[in-house]
Amino acid sequence: MQKTLKERLKNHLQYAWWQYLALALAAGFGWSLIFTTTAYRAPAEKRLDVYFVTYSVPEETLEWFQEQILGMFDDVEDSDCLSIVYTDDDNYYGSMQMSTYMAAGQGDVYIMARERFETMKSSEGFLPLDEAIAQGKIDLHGIDVTPGMALDAQGAPYVAGIPAASLNKLKELGIANDDLYICVMVNSANTERDCAFVDWLIDTMYQPAENAETETKSDKNGTAVSDMPSY
């Protein structure tokens, strides 16, 4: 009788093993889904997410930016710095990915390739930066924002994006900055803080092409920031 039971069990496992495997995978997926849906996620007003829409940005650079953001703002609980690959040869998926994020209201600051900026600047999805610039909340360091101008619904010009061509220290982080624009999303939960980040970014990364010396990086209060990864 015992031998018959073993044989039955062996035959059962031989033909039904995939059912147990499927059950185990389903159980694992279920636990993962429960964990994902119940895990704490910082609300939008306590986040600052920066998306790079250009050539692939090194992971070390993305992590470095996250560290700077979390250390810069006391009220920021979390930050996602993502690389959305968008190049002349590989732009279909990147464009679709970016549009999906924007439609979902994700991302506070976008640093994007000129082609995408030119395509989207007339949509009025970018925060006009004129007031922040006029009030000194964003110090341009002499950057010409004319290429970043757009027209609103009434035909009035405004600054939709800041050219990053003078932020040559970005190259030290593996970011080709020559054809990038810095934009703040108009539906961001905290545009004041976004502008403060843009100001820090310009102040930290500004380096005219004729000035190749590497300078000490510091924020507006004179506090040294973390060493940048080198490439």
Side-chain angles (χ1 to χ4, degrees):
M1 181 70 178
Q2 186 176 4
K3 182 177 180 181
T4 303
L5 181 60
K6 287 183 178 180
E7 289 176 348
R8 288 179 178 177
L9 181 60
K10 181 178 180 181
N11 290 335
H12 175 73
L13 293 176
Q14 182 177 359
Y15 293 104
W17 63 269
W18 63 269
Q19 298 177 6
Y20 292 99
L21 177 61
L23 182 62
L25 292 175
F29 175 77
W31 278 111
S32 176
L33 184 62
I34 291 172
F35 177 79
T36 301
T37 55
T38 58
Y40 174 76
R41 178 176 171 82
E45 63 271 15
K46 293 186 178 295
R47 302 182 59 86
L48 202 170
D49 299 329
V50 180
Y51 293 175
F52 295 86
V53 187
T54 179
Y55 291 89
S56 180
V57 176
E59 187 65 31
E60 294 87 347
T61 293
L62 300 175
E63 293 174 356
W64 182 83
F65 271 108
Q66 287 176 296
E67 291 173 2
Q68 303 311 305
I69 292 170
L70 293 175
M72 196 184 314
F73 302 102
D74 294 335
D75 59 339
V76 173
E77 295 182 357
D78 199 7
S79 172
D80 279 339
C81 293
L82 302 180
S83 175
I84 301 174
V85 177
Y86 186 95
T87 69
D88 292 338
D89 298 325
D90 182 14
N91 56 37
Y92 177 77
Y93 180 73
S95 179
M96 183 170 59
Q97 188 179 13
M98 176 182 171
S99 298
T100 301
Y101 283 139
M102 286 186 169
Q106 294 179 240
D108 301 297
V109 177
Y110 278 80
I111 302 172
M112 67 180 68
R114 179 186 58 80
E115 181 182 344
R116 287 306 296 154
F117 173 73
E118 292 291 344
T119 300
M120 303 191 69
K121 69 179 184 180
S122 60
S123 67
E124 297 191 60
F126 301 138
L127 178 75
L129 300 175
D130 307 72
E131 184 176 347
I133 293 170
Q135 294 177 352
K137 295 178 180 179
I138 296 179
D139 184 354
L140 293 175
H141 289 258
I143 294 174
D144 179 12
V145 295
T146 303
M149 301 292 287
L151 299 177
D152 64 18
Q154 288 71 44
Y158 68 95
V159 180
I162 298 174
S166 297
L167 308 188
N168 287 302
K169 291 181 184 178
L170 285 171
K171 291 184 174 70
E172 299 177 28
L173 297 171
I175 300 175
N177 62 296
D178 297 337
D179 216 20
L180 298 182
Y181 286 79
I182 307 164
C183 308
V184 175
M185 297 305 297
V186 72
N187 61 349
S188 173
N190 194 326
T191 55
E192 286 279 330
R193 191 172 56 209
D194 300 339
C195 289
F197 169 78
V198 173
D199 180 65
W200 170 86
L201 180 66
I202 295 173
D203 186 59
T204 306
M205 299 297 165
Y206 181 78
Q207 185 182 53
E210 65 271 12
N211 182 9
E213 295 85 12
T214 302
E215 301 171 356
T216 303
K217 291 77 182 174
S218 61
D219 64 18
K220 286 297 184 181
N221 297 319
T223 304
V225 298
S226 303
D227 291 338
M228 296 192 297
S230 58
Y231 299 94

